[in-house]
Each structure stands twice: as C-alpha cells, then as structure tokens.
Amino acid sequence: MVTRISVKHARQAAAIGQQVLVQGWIRTRRDSKGGFSFLEVNDGSSLANLQVVADGNLANYETEVKHLTAGSSVAIEGEIKPSGGKGQATELLAAKITVLGLADPESYPLQKKQHSLEKLREWAHLRPRTNTFGAVARVRNSVCRSIHDFFQEEDFLYVHTPIITASDCEGAGAMFRVTTLELDKLPRDGSPIRHELDFFGKPAYLTVSGQLEGEIFACSLGKIYTFGPTFRAENSNTSRHLAEFWMVEPEVAFYDLVDNMDLAERFLKRLFRDALDRCGDDMAFFNEHYDKTTIETLEKIVACEFHRLPYTEAVEILQKSGEKFEFPVEWGIDLQSEHERYLTEKHFRGPVILHDYPRTLKPFYMRVNDDGRTVRAMDVLVPKVGEIIGGSQREERLDVLTQRMAEQGLRSEDYWWYCDLRRYGTVPHAGFGLGLERAVQFITGMANIRDVIPFPRTPGSAEF
Ligand code: 4AD
Ligand code: MG
C-alpha cells in the first residue's frame, strides 16, 4: 500500500520502510556520475527538503527527470530508506516520478539563489516557495494556533466582531470608507453627499479595532476575544505599519489594569514559548540568517518578568538618560520609536509595560485616573519592534465617558449603544490589542513588517 505523506513526516526515521507518495516542488537537482540524480523536494510542511534518489533506470529518467529544474512540480512514489547523508535520517528511493509541471529556468524568478527581500515583495505569488517565507508562514500559523489555544484554555469566548462599522474606535480618523455610491458620479456643484442613498444609509468604514463590539460581549459574557483583520488608512511608510493587519483583542469584565497587564504578559510568554517549542527548525533558521539574538532574546523574555512603570517615570528616565534624541522628551509627548527603543534596548534590556499615560494622548474610552491628568492605559514595548500591545482599563462611569467624548469631538448619541453598557449594569473592565504581525516580526526577527504578512497592504501598494 502506498501512503501519501508530507516531506515533514517522510523525513522522520519512523517512516523508514514505508511505500509512500510525496508531492511537492523541486528545489535542486544534482546529477551523479553514477548515472542517477539527487532531487531536493519541498512541499511546505517543513523547512528541510526531502532528498529523493532518482535512479537512471526510471522509465522517464533521460526524457524528464534529467530536465527537472527548480520550481518544477512532481509526484514521487517509492520507499523511504535510511540516509547516509548529513542532516537527514531518511531519503526516498524513487520507483516512479511523475512530472506535473515544469518551470522554465530562463524565466522562473526563483531560479537564482538569492534575492533581496525587497525584490521578493514584487513576487508575492512566488515568495512562499522560498525558505524564508515558508518559515514565516509556519511561524505565523503557530502564533495563530497559540492565540486560540491560550484563550480557549482560559475559557475565553471567541467572538466575531464586524469588519464594516459606522463607529471609529481609536478616534484617529484614519479609516477606509466603504461605499456603493458611484464616486465618479458624486455631485460636483458643492451640494452635500446624500448618505441616505448609500448602502448602509450612512457613512461606513472598515474597522480599526473590534474593541467596542468586544466590550459589548465582555459586558454580557465575561471573558471574550476577537481576532481578525483591521484596517488603518494612516499614511505611514514604516517597517512597522500596515494598512491591513490582524489584531487579537481580549476583553474581560471585572478586570482592572493590573489584571490586564498580567494577562498580556502571560499571553505573550505563551506565544513565544510555543514558537520556540513548535517551530524549532524555522526559529533556528531565523536565528542563523536574520537575527542572531532572536532565540536567546525569546528564551530570556519567557523566563523573566516584564518591567512595569508609569509613563511619568519613563519620561524621567529618558530625560536623565543623557541620550541625544531627535524628538526632545517632556511630559505629555507621544513617545517616539527612538524613546521606546532606548527604554527596551538600553535601559531595561527587555520588554516594558508603560502605563498611565496623559489623557490627551489616548482615546476616549480609557479610564481617567483620580489625578485627572492620566488614564489607565498600557502599552507593551519590546526591543526592536517597539509597541506590540496597546490596551487599557475602560471608562465605566457614564458621566466621565460622555465628558471624554465631548473633549475629543465625538457625539455621545453616535455611541448610544456603547453608553448603554454604562447605563445598565456597568462594570469595571479592561482589554488590549496585540498586532499579530508585530508579534511575528518580533519572534522571527524579520526587520520589515511587510515580510511577515502574506500580502502586505501599504500606501500605494495592493497588487495581488
Ligand atoms: O494601540 P492600538 O491602536 O489599540 C487598539 O486598537 C485598541 N482598540 C486595542 C484594544 O484595547 N482592544 O493597536 C493595538 C496594536 C498595536 O499595539 C500594534 O501592535 C498593532 O495593534 N498595530 C498595528 N500593526 C501594524 N500596522 C499598523 N498600522 C498598526 N497599528 C496598530
Ligand atoms: Mg497604540
């Protein structure tokens, strides 16, 4: 009996002696003087390839096998044998090789061994076939699995919040509009746009965060998380910003900010631990080729406690640092990435949770402290990537909330349902959002966020 098997499983000693079918893509072909060839086959199931021995006696050896080049697709039947080769326990002795599709070596872009990451971004349809992007895809998958494992094990309810929304959670105004109005037929005489004719009867947008809807479910069902794509139309062309990214947002009734920080720390450690445990080969690859410190950094973080300090103390540390910053530091400024990096990379040398930020810097929903100047916000900062999590304890007092909305130019009538949560059985609650790509970036050590999402959307770029 022939068993269909992945490269990952075919590489394991337990597979020796089995008659198998392996399907994948050729990475390399090496012809031996003895009249046979070695094929390296990859199917995405692992970083490592399966070595296939193609004997000269195969029916199509001269006509097809000897013409196989990188990128060609094949189906191979044969027996798994112990291998004498370095770095592999097994190899596949081919009895039959079916060539499914050739890849013309003249035009196949991945024929050449090394391309820059920038160049590979132009080939988003082919880059998953490289070691780097295969490894990123597997680590990203592992992180998503850990996210669900962690919250499910802690009895959080997975809630699907909407992608299309009429409310602006972060109040930043950087939202993509969703409309069926014909843009080239809008009135040009200055008369107002008739939103009542639009699909939803009013302006609608792609969500920047599922938090507000998440709060609805937390304030009914206790512990929830939402996990999905979010969209921001900020025109920031940095190595840490995407216009479309994934965010996981837990929200918990009866939690205060300290509970929230504890949850965030436990959660991140779990993601890092799992990546190390489940993606050993891929992590070793990143450590070797992209960031020589990534495994050591993760191991250290998993074992130590995150530093926690109020924004006000962080400002003092930065002011006393003697460091020359491009943006001078004073109480009330939004910390820039140079400041965050100083704190995480030089001062504390590890993750830092900053909390209690000035109220002027943060959205309306964060709980105002008794000092009146700060809110119960928290940002988790990590070396190199900077902010990876943003969250807060939420304002549960209706009067303070409506005052904060007014302060930020929002009409509380537009958020009547959000206010209702405070009107009927209000409870203290808290939550946060982790940017999935920032997490994958940090874990892998990849320098640019565009290389940890399959199809990056950034200003001026949405091919594929
Ligand atoms: O700090 P942010 O804006 O917080 C919120 O949206 C809250 N509503 C979350 C909550 O409390 N439920 O975003 C949360 C995280 C950031 O820390 C960052 O990791 C990521 O989302 N993020 C981005 N990632 C990639 N590209 C962007 N443009 C991002 N903006 C935020
Ligand atoms: Mg933030």
Side-chain angles (χ1 to χ4, degrees):
M1 233 234 342
V2 173
T3 326
R4 184 191 273 185
I5 193 172
S6 67
V7 165
K8 175 172 140 184
H9 287 111
R11 285 180 51 84
Q12 289 165 5
I16 290 170
Q18 282 187 39
Q19 299 296 325
V20 300
L21 164 66
V22 170
Q23 296 152 305
W25 292 266
I26 301 287
R27 285 294 178 82
T28 61
R29 190 198 80 239
R30 202 157 43 83
D31 300 327
S32 160
K33 290 214 177 67
F36 62 98
S37 302
F38 291 111
L39 306 173
E40 292 285 326
V41 176
N42 194 286
D43 66 354
S45 59
S46 73
L47 182 73
N49 305 320
L50 178 65
Q51 174 165 292
V52 177
V53 181
D55 195 89
N57 297 333
L58 289 168
N60 58 349
Y61 183 75
E62 288 297 333
T63 52
E64 288 192 304
V65 176
K66 277 195 84 172
H67 302 284
L68 286 172
T69 53
S72 304
S73 49
V74 288
I76 304 171
E77 284 178 42
E79 186 177 325
I80 302 287
K81 302 272 192 190
S83 172
K86 209 170 86 211
Q88 59 199 24
T90 67
E91 62 190 26
L92 173 59
L93 177 61
K96 180 179 170 198
I97 298 183
T98 309
V99 178
L100 302 171
L102 291 170
D104 181 0
E106 292 302 315
S107 59
Y108 183 55
L110 304 183
Q111 182 66 30
K112 199 179 120 209
K113 272 225 147 60
Q114 282 293 333
H115 290 289
S116 69
L117 295 172
E118 288 78 12
K119 191 75 204 158
L120 286 171
R121 276 176 220 143
E122 293 170 21
W123 298 317
H125 63 307
L126 295 173
R127 67 177 187 170
R129 298 185 186 190
T130 63
N131 283 337
T132 298
F133 289 91
V136 167
R138 285 183 296 271
V139 171
R140 188 180 164 107
N141 172 69
S142 161
V143 175
C144 294
R145 175 177 162 194
S146 301
I147 286 169
H148 286 296
D149 284 353
F150 176 85
F151 287 121
Q152 293 295 330
E153 285 164 21
E154 298 220 3
D155 284 333
F156 281 64
L157 210 66
Y158 181 28
V159 171
H160 296 115
T161 51
I163 305 246
I164 299 175
T165 174
S167 54
D168 179 1
C169 172
E170 292 306 292
M175 301 182 86
F176 288 101
R177 189 76 168 264
V178 177
T179 183
T180 50
L181 293 177
E182 290 187 61
L183 295 181
D184 31 18
K185 291 193 190 145
L186 291 181
R188 281 155 203 253
D189 56 1
S191 58
I193 293 169
R194 296 179 57 196
H195 295 295
E196 68 276 15
L197 299 181
D198 203 348
F199 190 89
F200 298 105
K202 59 173 171 175
Y205 307 87
L206 293 179
T207 187
V208 294
S209 159
Q211 176 196 323
L212 302 189
E213 294 87 355
E215 283 186 53
I216 294 178
F217 273 75
C219 291
S220 311
L221 300 164
K223 300 200 281 188
I224 68 97
Y225 68 109
T226 173
F227 182 23
T230 50
F231 307 85
R232 298 199 183 176
E234 350 167 48
N235 198 3
S236 30
N237 250 311
T238 78
S239 59
R240 307 179 312 138
H241 287 88
L242 291 164
E244 175 179 316
F245 62 99
W246 281 63
M247 201 179 349
V248 50
E249 298 177 273
E251 190 70 34
V252 190
F254 313 107
Y255 259 31
D256 63 15
L257 192 69
V258 176
D259 298 321
N260 206 31
M261 291 194 263
D262 291 344
L263 179 70
E265 181 167 343
R266 226 170 47 243
F267 173 54
L268 283 179
K269 285 179 173 171
R270 170 66 183 272
L271 301 188
F272 300 162
R273 181 76 265 153
D274 281 356
L276 290 168
D277 292 347
R278 291 175 177 165
C279 303
D281 290 352
D282 293 320
M283 288 304 300
F285 172 83
F286 289 118
N287 204 69
E288 188 181 335
H289 296 282
Y290 288 99
D291 180 349
K292 301 255 184 268
T293 62
T294 190
I295 290 182
E296 187 195 324
T297 306
L298 292 177
E299 293 278 9
K300 237 172 41 201
I301 289 177
V302 170
C304 77
E305 275 184 24
F306 292 11
H307 299 277
R308 300 181 184 187
L309 76 160
Y311 166 93
T312 303
E313 279 177 33
V315 165
E316 284 162 13
I317 290 174
L318 291 166
Q319 285 173 330
K320 287 188 196 139
S321 69
E323 205 71 15
K324 262 211 162 333
F325 294 117
E326 187 187 337
F327 298 91
V329 182
E330 58 181 298
W331 198 92
I333 65 148
D334 214 352
L335 296 183
Q336 302 293 319
S337 113
E338 54 173 346
H339 308 133
E340 296 177 349
R341 293 190 68 156
Y342 176 82
L343 292 170
T344 54
E345 291 168 28
K346 292 199 175 150
H347 192 84
F348 290 106
R349 293 172 180 275
V352 179
I353 309 184
L354 293 189
H355 55 87
D356 294 303
Y357 282 71
R359 71 189 280 167
T360 48
L361 293 181
K362 295 290 186 186
F364 66 94
Y365 54 71
M366 297 191 178
R367 192 177 199 281
V368 179
N369 277 314
D370 291 343
D371 63 12
R373 303 206 302 158
T374 57
V375 289
R376 299 242 79 189
M378 61 174 226
D379 277 0
V380 182
L381 314 178
V382 292
K384 291 178 190 160
V385 174
E387 181 193 331
I388 190 168
I389 280 181
S392 67
Q393 184 173 334
R394 318 306 189 189
E395 184 54 76
E396 85 283 14
R397 299 161 296 185
L398 183 62
D399 53 336
V400 185
L401 180 69
T402 46
Q403 191 199 333
R404 285 276 285 156
M405 286 176 165
E407 210 173 281
Q408 304 203 346
L410 300 171
R411 292 164 11 125
S412 56
E413 308 89 88
D414 293 342
Y415 293 84
W416 61 273
W417 48 274
Y418 191 74
C419 294
D420 266 5
L421 302 179
R422 280 75 183 162
R423 219 168 256 131
Y424 308 118
T426 191
V427 290
H429 60 290
F432 62 80
L434 167 74
L436 174 66
E437 288 75 19
R438 298 251 177 111
V440 177
Q441 219 187 332
F442 181 65
I443 291 170
T444 58
M446 294 295 286
N448 196 309
I449 198 165
R450 294 164 206 217
D451 297 327
V452 297
I453 185 164
F455 304 99
R457 267 84 185 96
T458 51
S461 164
E463 185 86 19
F464 303 97

